Amino acid sequence: MRFEDVNWLDVEKSLKGEDRLMLVIGACEQHGYLSLLTDVKIPLALADAASQQTGVLVAPPVNYGFSSYFLKYPGTLSLRVTTLFDLVEDILRSAFGQGFRRILILNGHGGNTALRARLYELANELPGLRMAWYALVAGRECERRSQPTWSEGLPCKLD
């Protein structure tokens, strides 16, 4: 269930029994012949599927990420790293202030990986906040990881 499909009363009611939230972070950048929002659409589809099974709310996605290396491609819209950090931190602080304590962040864009360091700092500042990071792995790397070994762990695991 996405925020766009509920009102504040629905969220208030949900928070009485559920403190989990999913936040999708992606990018608006070139992907060849694919949508400029590919890095949002894929993790959002995963969040929607998980939400249907669990009832966990899905926050509005962050449709922009750090993609300055693709700015020469028309349609790529990028944030500065500091802006991305501040934006996501503000969203998470807002969610925490309302009662969300367990937040799954689904990242669809490799350029956003640096954000994890800021999230560790935020978790230390907000006692009781628990976050998990899920990053999509593309191409042959995902195929390789789909065959786990003892040394590699589980495919696409959460920290």
Side-chain angles (χ1 to χ4, degrees):
M1 188 170 13
R2 294 186 191 181
F3 267 42
E4 65 197 55
D5 298 324
V6 299
N7 61 45
W8 75 271
L9 296 168
D10 297 323
V11 175
E12 181 180 59
K13 181 179 178 183
S14 176
L15 277 166
K16 290 180 180 174
E18 178 63 74
D19 67 350
R20 295 179 295 173
L21 179 68
M22 289 183 273
L23 175 63
V24 169
I25 303 170
C28 179
E29 66 175 17
Q30 67 78 30
H31 273 278
Y33 60 88
L34 299 175
S35 168
L36 290 166
L37 290 179
T38 295
D39 290 346
V40 175
K41 288 182 172 189
I42 294 171
L44 189 56
L46 292 173
D48 285 341
S51 178
Q52 287 176 357
Q53 292 183 0
T54 64
V56 174
L57 291 170
V58 179
V62 177
N63 289 328
Y64 306 97
F66 179 68
S67 302
S68 63
Y69 38 84
F70 286 135
L71 284 172
K72 291 185 179 181
Y73 292 91
T76 297
L77 303 175
S78 180
L79 297 175
R80 290 172 291 157
V81 172
T82 55
T83 303
L84 176 65
F85 285 3
D86 291 344
L87 173 65
V88 173
E89 180 177 338
D90 287 350
I91 292 168
L92 294 173
R93 284 184 181 277
S94 295
F96 182 82
Q98 293 172 15
F100 292 103
R101 295 294 180 264
R102 297 179 290 164
I103 301 174
L104 173 61
I105 298 164
L106 295 100
N107 178 44
H109 176 60
N112 296 338
T113 303
L115 177 61
R116 291 181 74 180
R118 182 73 165 261
L119 298 179
Y120 288 124
E121 293 174 355
L122 184 61
N124 288 331
E125 291 178 30
L126 300 175
L129 176 62
R130 293 173 41 205
M131 292 180 280
W133 175 273
Y134 178 88
L136 298 178
V137 181
R140 297 226 174 244
E141 179 68 11
C142 191
E143 180 182 338
R144 183 182 67 79
R145 288 188 181 202
S146 69
Q147 305 300 322
T149 65
W150 286 107
S151 63
E152 292 177 326
L154 295 176
C156 303
K157 70 178 182 177
L158 299 176
D159 304 321

